[in-house]
Every structure is written in structure tokens, then in C-alpha cells.
Amino acid sequence: MANNTITFDPNAGVAYGVNLIINTGADFNSTFKILEVDRSDFDLTGYNGSSQMRKSASVGSTTIAAATFTVGFTSTTEGEFKISLGSTETRSLKNGRYVYDILVGSASTVYRIVEGNILVQTGVSSAPSSS
């Protein structure tokens, strides 16, 4: 089940905004269900996906990606996919705000379907010691 259901209009080509939180040292995943404007499923059959997060989204920026998400299609005909990072990858992230986007495409058609901010945070407390 998707925790982010969004409506995407391929004719407008405007990415849908979704903000996320990543806890360092934990596995991260976020699922998406894409709907057409008429609320039907956005068919992702034959599509590939990519997603990165960076500290800055400056146009022409050569900023190196802080992380590259794995994009996995869970149901292409129903417009469902997820992005994920393993705990090893999240452990290396520094606290702070990042930007990200998700691209999906097939052949020569590529859509920037989702964009937003990511807040990376570490825990404040440490585990209690056992006595």
C-alpha cells in the first residue's frame, strides 16, 4: 500500500511535491501511487526510474549526490513504485535538509514526477544500558 498517492498530469509536466524524513542508520523506503488526472492508475509499464538527493538543486549544479535511491516498481499497471536506501547508506548521511526528485521514463519520454525536501536527522538519546 502506498504512503504517498499523487495525481500527475503528463501534459503539464509539473512534479508533485512530497517532503520526506530519513533517520540515519535506519532502512528507509517510501512508496508512491501515481494517478492520472481522471483518477485512473498511471500505467508505468516499460518505465525505468531514478532518484537522487543533494544538498542543493542549483541549475547547472555539479553538486555530487548525497545518495542515490533504489527505485523499484511494485505494480507498473497500477502506477506503484518505491524508493529506498539501506541502513548503511543512511548512516553516512549528515544531518540537515536536502532536496530530491524522482524521474520516470521510457524511451525518449522522461517525467520529473516527484520532488521535495528531505530532512535527515539522527537520534538524540542513546540506548539505555542494561544493569
Side-chain angles (χ1 to χ4, degrees), residues 9-75:
D9 181 356
N11 295 319
V14 177
Y16 194 90
V18 176
N19 295 327
L20 303 171
I21 296 174
I22 295 176
N23 294 303
T24 59
D27 288 334
F28 167 81
N29 68 65
S30 189
T31 58
F32 296 85
K33 179 172 180 65
I34 311 301
L35 300 174
E36 299 267 7
V37 175
D38 67 2
R39 306 297 288 168
S40 64
D41 296 334
F42 192 98
D43 190 350
L44 294 168
T45 302
Y47 281 63
N48 295 308
S50 65
S51 180
Q52 292 183 346
M53 61 185 277
R54 299 174 182 227
K55 280 302 252 180
S56 169
S58 302
V59 175
S61 172
T62 57
T63 304
I64 296 172
T68 299
F69 294 97
T70 298
V71 179
F73 292 91
T74 53
S75 177

Side-chain angles (χ1 to χ4, degrees), residues 112-129:
R112 195 165 127 259
I113 205 157
V114 178
E115 67 179 0
N117 292 304
I118 296 177
L119 178 62
V120 174
Q121 56 190 22
T122 59
V124 176
S125 302
S126 59
S129 59

